[in-house]
Every structure is written in structure tokens, then in C-alpha cells.
Amino acid sequence: MPIKLPSDLPAYDVLNREGVMVIDEDVASLQDIRPQRIGLLNLMPKKIQTENQFARLIGATPLQIELSLIRMTEHATKNTAAEHMEAFYRPFAEVAASGEKFDGLIITGAPIEHLEFSDVTYWDELQQVFEWTQTNVHSTLGVCWGGMAMINHFHGVPKHILDHKAFGCIRHQNLAPASPYLRGFSDDMVIPVSRWTELRRDEITAAQLPILIDSTDSGPCLVEDPAHRALYLFNHFEYDSDTLKQEYDRDVASGTAINVPANYYPENDPARAPQNRWRSHAHLLYGNWISEIYLTTPFDIDAIGRNSTDLRKSAKPRKDPAV
């Protein structure tokens, strides 16, 4: 099944050219099926690039996905055209007021790691988002800073500033091969990392949260929070092949001190084209997340959020004869 996108959203043409099956609203309405409603709260400055990255991953499953783009209500982006934001995004306040329910929600990262959470201009509203997920979202995936913010809100786990940027393709270990989220994963894998902060292993385990993917070099990567029906992913499976290169070239051009991203360029030579070594695990993780949502979310979407226990126990298995 395809991902449902507005036909004039840039991601529609990008994914179509890549062979990802996409359909618009008119075609989707002809299919007798309840799509999986996935929201994307996009906090990144380059909105269109981020839309493409996440739509590519969640659109590669056998299920019909309906993607809804959400923004913070008062925060104005400087890097994406106002026309794009007006055409495709809804402010969170409008979404919350509508009473809508979502099978899944992705909360992206944001390049504001140097700020204390309380100093972020939209922190109060983002905390409202976190609380809203407990009644209106079946499963939430917080990515990079979004995951750090969410684990801090619910468990008080702090982020710590690093003395140098964790930057590159870092090897990680699969600590929970029996987890449904890691179905099909190798024992270890390479994942893009790009952050100036870290979350510490002992502080996460003290909060009694299981670490699913870890790294001896860059610390915890994927943490499960069953009580809040959430996953916290501190690194970037969604990155394109050249995203780290774009970040490196930007910093070099601006004169910002930056290390060459580790294990990214062949022979660590920035003049050579990087190779993507994480794509398959990226599709596995997001495919497994979508699959778990499908297996556990209520068929009646209005029933989402009525229970808040373990993800697999929070809803009756859905019955969808159209699939």
C-alpha cells in the first residue's frame, strides 16, 4: 500500500521518482481501508528535506499511510517558504483543538542543543504536545533533540554538552534482538550521529527504561518507554547519503571548527563521495515501528489513548478485513 500525500507536496514527486508508491487524496478515498494516521511534528529548519526523509521511510511499508504535517503554533521558520508552511502544515493548537487522534507521531530534532530546555521559545507548547500524545497518539517516536526533550519531560533525564561534536557513522550494538522494533536487525550496525549533546547510560537505566541500541563510542541510541508508548531515538537513521556531508561543508564554509565525520568518507577523504551503510536498518526500524502500530492500535481510531499501559496491551488487536 502507498503513502498518501498531497500531489503538490515536494515529497510526492521525490518519492515517486524513487519508486516509493504514493497516492493523492482522491485516489486514497477510493480504497476501502483505514489508513495509519502518522503525524510529523517538524522542528527542523529545512522542512522539505526532513519531510522527504521521513516520508521515504514510513512510505515503504505494505500499509496505507496518511501523513499529516504539524508545526509549533507561534514559532515562525526562517528556512522554508511561508507559502509552503501555509499550504501543508497545521499549527499544533489547531490539531489539538480538533480532538484528532493519530496512530503514530514523529517529533523531529532541532538545532538548539546548546539551549536549556526551558530556554527554548516553544518549550511550554512542546510540553503540551508531550502530554497530548498520552491521550491522542498511540505510539510516539522522538528523534534526536525531540527524543531528548521527551525523555527529559517524562523522566527528568538530562542532556549533557559534549566537548566535541559526536559526528559521523558510528558503530552501534543491538542490545535487544528479541524486541519487535529490532526484528531483522544485525548484531551491530552503523548509524549516522550528529549532535553536541549526549544522554548517559546510567541516568537512563536509573529511570528504568530499556536501552535497545547502544554504542561504546557515542552512547545510547534507541530507548523504549512502554509506559508512555514512546521510543526515543537519539541518532539519525533517516539521513540521506549526503546529509552529513552537507553539514560538514556548511561548517567548513562558515569557518566553524568541525571534525571530519568519522567512518563516513572512504579513507576519511572528504573529496570522495560517501557511501550509505545504514539505509537497510533505517527501513527495518521504521517498518517495524509501523508494523507494531498496526498490530496494536484500535481499528476505531477514537479509542486511541483510552489506555496507557504497555504498547502491546494498550489496545485490542485491530481487525481490518480490507487488508
Side-chain angles (χ1 to χ4, degrees):
M1 289 294 176
I3 181 170
K4 182 170 69 174
L5 300 173
S7 59
D8 49 349
L9 184 73
Y12 188 98
D13 287 334
V14 171
L15 271 60
N16 203 29
R17 289 195 300 269
E18 295 177 0
V20 177
M21 188 181 297
V22 292
I23 57 173
D24 60 23
E25 182 71 33
D26 292 339
V27 176
S29 64
L30 300 176
Q31 296 184 335
D32 184 18
I33 188 173
R34 179 170 93 67
Q36 299 293 281
R37 297 202 67 216
I38 305 296
L40 176 65
L41 179 60
N42 193 349
L43 306 177
M44 291 296 287
K46 295 183 177 180
K47 304 293 187 193
I48 295 175
Q49 180 185 56
T50 304
E51 295 158 18
N52 293 343
Q53 290 171 344
F54 285 106
R56 177 181 295 114
L57 293 172
I58 66 173
T61 74
L63 304 173
Q64 185 189 118
I65 304 295
E66 178 182 300
L67 181 64
S68 297
L69 301 177
I70 306 170
R71 63 172 175 85
M72 303 308 296
T73 304
E74 299 298 332
H75 181 73
T77 182
K78 300 176 182 178
N79 300 87
T80 305
E83 294 81 5
H84 182 87
M85 300 302 296
E86 180 67 25
F88 300 113
Y89 280 80
R90 289 186 300 157
F92 170 70
E94 177 184 311
V95 174
S98 71
E100 291 177 58
K101 302 291 184 84
F102 291 84
D103 298 292
L105 176 71
I106 298 170
I107 301 175
T108 74
I112 48 177
E113 294 177 274
H114 61 289
L115 295 176
E116 295 292 336
F117 291 123
S118 59
D119 291 336
V120 175
T121 57
Y122 50 79
W123 180 242
D124 289 345
E125 185 178 28
L126 190 58
Q127 289 184 297
Q128 294 174 27
V129 173
F130 297 152
E131 292 299 323
W132 170 83
T133 64
Q134 300 306 286
T135 55
N136 289 69
V137 179
H138 184 59
S139 179
T140 304
L141 177 58
V143 179
C144 200
W145 184 86
M148 295 180 184
M150 197 169 181
I151 196 174
N152 177 265
H153 172 77
F154 284 124
H155 300 280
V157 177
K159 60 182 175 67
H160 301 273
I161 299 292
L162 297 168
D163 57 10
H164 66 282
K165 188 176 185 179
F167 192 42
C169 294
I170 310 300
R171 188 158 294 282
H172 289 70
Q173 292 73 50
N174 178 351
L175 301 187
S179 168
Y181 299 109
L182 301 186
R183 190 179 295 112
F185 266 60
S186 303
D187 293 336
D188 67 359
M189 69 223 70
V190 168
I191 307 172
V193 179
S194 179
R195 47 183 165 80
W196 283 96
T197 52
E198 67 174 358
L199 273 74
R200 294 177 180 166
R201 195 174 292 109
D202 59 335
E203 292 173 336
I204 293 174
T205 55
Q208 300 183 338
L209 298 174
I211 300 172
L212 307 185
I213 299 177
D214 199 1
S215 170
T216 56
D217 296 319
S218 59
C221 169
L222 181 65
V223 174
E224 184 179 4
D225 184 355
H228 295 95
R229 307 187 309 283
L231 292 173
Y232 309 130
L233 174 62
F234 306 127
N235 300 327
H236 292 284
F237 276 110
E238 83 281 0
Y239 269 10
D240 296 324
S241 301
D242 63 348
T243 305
L244 291 177
K245 172 178 168 55
Q246 292 176 21
E247 295 180 3
Y248 176 71
D249 290 347
R250 176 201 62 203
D251 288 348
V252 169
S254 66
T256 303
I258 186 63
N259 45 296
V260 175
N263 306 313
Y264 179 55
Y265 296 107
E267 299 181 358
N268 292 323
D269 180 1
R272 300 179 63 180
Q275 292 182 321
N276 191 310
R277 293 179 288 150
W278 60 90
R279 184 182 297 115
S280 58
H281 282 103
H283 280 280
L284 275 174
L285 178 64
Y286 281 85
N288 288 341
W289 179 60
I290 294 292
S291 176
E292 280 302 289
I293 290 174
Y294 176 78
L295 290 172
T296 59
T297 194
F299 182 74
D300 177 6
I301 198 167
D302 290 332
I304 286 174
R306 293 178 184 168
N307 301 298
S308 58
T309 54
D310 179 82
L311 186 62
R312 275 197 168 274
K313 298 176 182 177
S314 63
K316 296 178 181 178
R318 59 176 285 163
K319 298 178 181 179
D320 189 353
V323 176

